[in-house]
């Protein structure tokens, strides 16, 4: 430990988190639209956007699952210092962070119960890039249809079929963020 | 700026509310439980709306508050000044200029746009509560989409009054899934809920629930084939601006029982009057 995990939080936590949340909320409310996040400087290889999402939404109440590619002492120390979030396995987490291959298969994540569909995990998926060149999306938040590059389509179709239960996805790369809630149909 | 944290609430509370808002947006119409805090105002004065506003406001926002459509009532004035003091936000009474609008019981007449957020103050978020008092039962009814009781209630309206007499807090179905209470807005406003370009967030402080409608969400008012939903309003025009398309309040003006009808949306009425429109009773 060299103390570098003490760096890289929001400079002005209340204001930076407020601005970051608006981008995340806009992304969740408008699937297929890309927004930007800034203000976080997480350790490599976590993107600025994923770092900002974690600083904005995670705390001692939200167990995090780290994908095997990110489960290092340096990253654990950064998240623990800045958010106080405990680490957990797939089936106990509220948030998960990793690239797509480290998060799949999705079956073990909490998908919510039919009486409490909100008791489900949100997956922060690190992507090589966020782009709108991808499959067509339909659903709440989308006027007509939208498009978004996704790592695959089958898992998201299956996830939507379970709605109102299911997982919600936040895609991050560099400063970019986009989201795919369970309510979105992937065509 | 004051000595309070930005937007009054502490950061952990805001994170908890923000997580609930995201879940609400992902499951449109579903009431997400949240750990509502005591606010420096009594329940029933918008504690839910204020907590949602506090969680979404940034210093770049222009904030508007309306109470039954009016910008100048006690509730609206005090909530506006609360966030002027604690969040240092600009405020406005103009619907078009606002980025975040907190509302009690109205949707503005001026159509909302993509960049805007409408925050509703909600007294009783559970549309089935007056039909079934037990939370365990209403939760099961939502789970199973067992909404027959709501249709029975509307049917009883028809058998008693000859038409659906429910005139505010008129139940809606969201994306063919959840029946939702749109808060006590007049049913005149119900059509504006659907396919709205703005984000709509609902906060119920005492009942500890947050729910949401993302933009362009399908919202249908419950009705029957032979008794279709009607967005009714008094069959009058505004006494001040002459508008025949806005929701009207009936006001008693003297001891002899004389009355007039005026727009409930004060910003809409003022804009029309400054554009030269005059109603019957305008001086």
């Amino acid at each position: 430990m060299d103390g570098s995990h003490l760096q890289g939080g929001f400079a002005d936590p209340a204001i930076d988190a407020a601005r970051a949340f608006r981008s995340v909320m806009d992304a969740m409310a408008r699937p297929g639209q890309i927004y930007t996040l800034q203000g976080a400087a997480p350790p490599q290889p976590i993107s600025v956007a994923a770092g900002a999402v974690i600083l904005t939404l995670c705390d001692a109440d939200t167990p995090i699952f780290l994908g095997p590619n990110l489960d290092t002492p340096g990253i654990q120390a950064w998240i623990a210092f800045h958010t106080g979030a405990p680490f957990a396995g797939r089936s106990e987490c509220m948030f998960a962070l990793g690239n797509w291959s480290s998060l799949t298969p999705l079956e073990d994540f909490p998908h919510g119960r039919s009486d409490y569909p909100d008791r489900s995990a949100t997956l922060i998926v690190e992507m090589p890039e966020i782009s709108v060149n991808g499959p067509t999306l339909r659903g709440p938040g989308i006027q007509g249809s939208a498009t978004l590059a996704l790592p695959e389509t089958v898992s998201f179709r299956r996830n939507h079929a379970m709605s109102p239960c299911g997982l919600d996805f936040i895609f991050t790369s560099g400063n970019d963020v986009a989201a795919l809630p369970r309510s979105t149909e992937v065509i | 700026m004051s000595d309070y944290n930005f937007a009054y609430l502490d950061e952990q509370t805001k994170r908890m509310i923000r997580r609930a808002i995201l879940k609400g947006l992902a499951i449109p119409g579903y009431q997400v439980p949240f750990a509502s805090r005591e606010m420096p105002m009594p329940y029933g004065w918008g504690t839910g709306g204020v907590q949602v506003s506090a969680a979404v406001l940034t210093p770049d926002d222009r904030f508007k508050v309306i109470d039954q459509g009016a910008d100048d009532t006690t509730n609206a004035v005090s909530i506006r000044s609360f966030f002027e003091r604690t969040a240092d936000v600009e405020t406005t009474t103009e619907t078009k200029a606002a980025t975040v609008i907190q509302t009690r019981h109205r949707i503005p007449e001026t159509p909302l746009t993509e960049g805007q957020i409408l925050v509703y103050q909600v007294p009783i978020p559970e549309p089935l509560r007056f039909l079934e008092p037990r939370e365990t039962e209403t939760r099961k009814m939502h789970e199973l989409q067992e909404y027959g009781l709501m249709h029975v209630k509307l049917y009883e309206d028809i058998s008693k009054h000859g038409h659906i007499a429910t005139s505010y807090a008129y139940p809606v179905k969201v994306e063919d899934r959840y029946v939702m209470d749109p808060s006590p807005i007049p049913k005149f406003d119900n059509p504006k809920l659907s396919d709205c370009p703005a984000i709509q967030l609902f906060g119920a402080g005492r009942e500890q629930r947050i729910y949401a409608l993302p933009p362009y969400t399908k919202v249908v008012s419950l009705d029957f084939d032979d008794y279709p939903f009607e967005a009714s309003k008094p069959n009058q025009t505004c006494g001040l601006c002459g508008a025949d398309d806005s929701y009207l309040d009936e006001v008693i003006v003297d001891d002899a029982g004389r009355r007039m009808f005026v727009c409930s949306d004060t910003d809409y009425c003022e804009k029309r009057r400054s554009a030269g429109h005059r109603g019957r009773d305008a001086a």
Side-chain angles (χ1 to χ4, degrees):
Chain A
M1 277 305 131
D2 55 0
S4 62
H5 63 284
L6 306 179
Q7 308 296 316
F10 284 143
D12 188 349
I15 306 291
D16 290 351
R19 294 210 168 101
F21 174 68
R22 281 289 279 278
S23 295
V24 176
M25 180 176 82
D26 279 333
M28 194 61 86
R30 296 186 171 84
Q33 304 269 334
I34 300 168
Y35 296 88
T36 57
L37 287 168
Q38 50 218 355
Q44 289 295 326
I46 301 180
S47 65
V48 174
V53 172
I54 286 175
L55 294 178
T56 304
L57 296 177
C58 297
D59 55 31
D61 296 332
T62 62
I64 299 181
F65 169 78
L66 287 177
N69 67 316
L70 298 178
D71 205 0
T72 65
I75 288 172
Q76 285 194 4
W78 187 81
I79 292 175
F81 176 75
H82 290 282
T83 71
F87 298 98
R90 288 168 193 269
S91 57
E92 286 92 41
C93 74
M94 282 175 69
F95 287 90
L97 172 66
N99 55 25
W100 185 246
S101 61
S102 74
L103 295 176
T104 49
L106 306 176
E107 278 71 28
D108 291 341
F109 288 111
H111 284 62
R113 295 169 12 188
S114 53
D115 53 347
Y116 285 97
D118 56 305
R119 296 182 182 174
S120 58
T122 302
L123 273 50
I124 305 164
V125 185
E126 290 273 44
M127 301 275 285
E129 62 161 355
I130 307 286
S131 132
V132 292
N133 300 317
T136 303
L137 313 178
R138 280 187 214 285
I142 301 168
Q143 188 179 26
S145 65
T147 57
L148 184 68
L150 300 172
E152 57 155 304
T153 53
V154 177
S155 299
F156 300 107
R157 285 184 189 141
R158 196 179 299 147
N159 186 57
H160 171 68
M162 277 185 273
S163 154
C165 294
L167 307 169
D168 305 314
F169 301 89
I170 298 174
F171 299 106
T172 51
S173 177
N175 289 83
D176 293 340
V177 63
L180 192 81
R182 66 196 78 179
S183 59
T184 304
E185 183 190 357
V186 178
I187 295 164
Chain B
M1 254 330 246
S2 62
D3 295 321
Y4 288 108
N5 187 34
F6 173 73
Y8 184 78
L9 293 172
D10 61 279
E11 289 306 297
Q12 192 180 0
T13 299
K14 279 192 264 176
R15 277 192 296 270
M16 175 270 298
I17 295 171
R18 286 166 179 162
R19 291 193 295 262
I21 291 173
L22 293 185
K23 289 281 197 250
L25 287 166
I27 318 167
Y30 169 74
Q31 303 162 49
V32 185
F34 82 111
S36 179
R37 301 294 193 245
E38 293 237 11
M39 297 301 286
M41 57 176 66
Y43 288 129
W45 287 70
T47 54
V50 162
Q51 290 179 78
V52 171
S53 292
V56 301
L57 278 174
T58 73
D60 316 320
D61 278 311
R62 259 187 317 278
F63 188 55
K64 170 181 162 90
V65 188
I66 50 174
D67 175 2
Q68 305 266 16
D71 291 280
D72 51 5
T73 55
T74 310
N75 199 196
V77 170
S78 24
I79 293 173
R80 207 159 53 228
S81 68
F82 176 75
F83 282 116
E84 272 170 9
R85 283 179 56 189
T86 60
D88 209 16
V89 286
E90 260 185 77
T91 56
T92 181
T93 57
E94 248 181 275
T95 303
K96 269 197 187 128
T99 53
V100 179
I101 303 173
Q102 182 172 330
T103 176
R104 177 175 172 271
H105 308 358
R106 268 320 303 280
I107 299 175
E109 304 290 354
T110 311
L112 300 175
T113 55
E114 287 246 344
Q116 294 182 308
I117 300 169
L118 187 59
V119 178
Y120 294 77
Q121 302 173 197
V122 182
I124 309 284
E126 177 50 72
L128 304 165
R129 184 60 69 233
F130 290 110
L131 307 171
E132 170 51 66
R134 288 167 294 181
E135 166 70 16
T136 46
E137 287 299 304
T138 53
R139 183 161 291 281
K140 191 117 245 162
M141 289 157 82
H142 284 295
E143 177 183 0
L144 302 174
Q145 299 190 63
E146 180 49 70
Y147 295 129
L149 202 55
M150 188 55 96
H151 277 101
V152 171
K153 190 235 175 206
L154 297 176
Y155 170 76
E156 282 181 348
D157 263 16
I158 295 170
S159 62
K160 245 191 248 165
H161 307 285
H163 63 280
I164 298 178
T166 305
S167 58
Y168 65 94
Y170 191 102
V172 295
K173 198 163 199 183
V174 179
E175 289 284 333
D176 301 317
R177 179 59 183 84
Y178 285 103
V179 165
M180 185 190 97
D181 181 346
S183 88
I185 58 172
K187 68 175 168 184
F188 174 80
D189 282 341
N190 271 27
K192 299 179 204 164
L193 292 161
S194 191
D195 214 29
C196 175
I199 296 174
Q200 301 176 77
L201 305 174
F202 299 78
R206 178 186 47 215
E207 304 290 321
Q208 313 196 321
R209 294 291 185 275
I210 285 172
Y211 50 106
L213 297 172
Y216 309 111
T217 297
K218 183 174 134 194
V219 181
V220 178
S221 302
L222 299 181
D223 62 359
F224 299 98
D225 287 345
D226 50 346
Y227 284 88
F229 171 79
E230 251 182 292
S232 60
K233 71 182 243 323
N235 192 17
Q236 301 280 339
T237 59
C238 172
L240 298 175
C241 77
D244 62 359
D245 58 350
S246 76
Y247 190 74
L248 302 174
D249 287 337
E250 188 176 9
V251 185
I252 310 281
V253 289
D254 60 20
D255 289 345
R258 254 187 358 107
R259 56 195 61 202
M260 69 186 285
F261 287 87
V262 290
C263 291
S264 102
D265 186 332
T266 52
D267 173 58
Y268 184 75
C269 196
E270 275 163 27
K271 286 277 177 322
R272 278 182 53 87
R273 276 181 282 156
S274 59
H277 297 281
R278 286 288 176 277
R280 264 201 315 247
D281 304 312

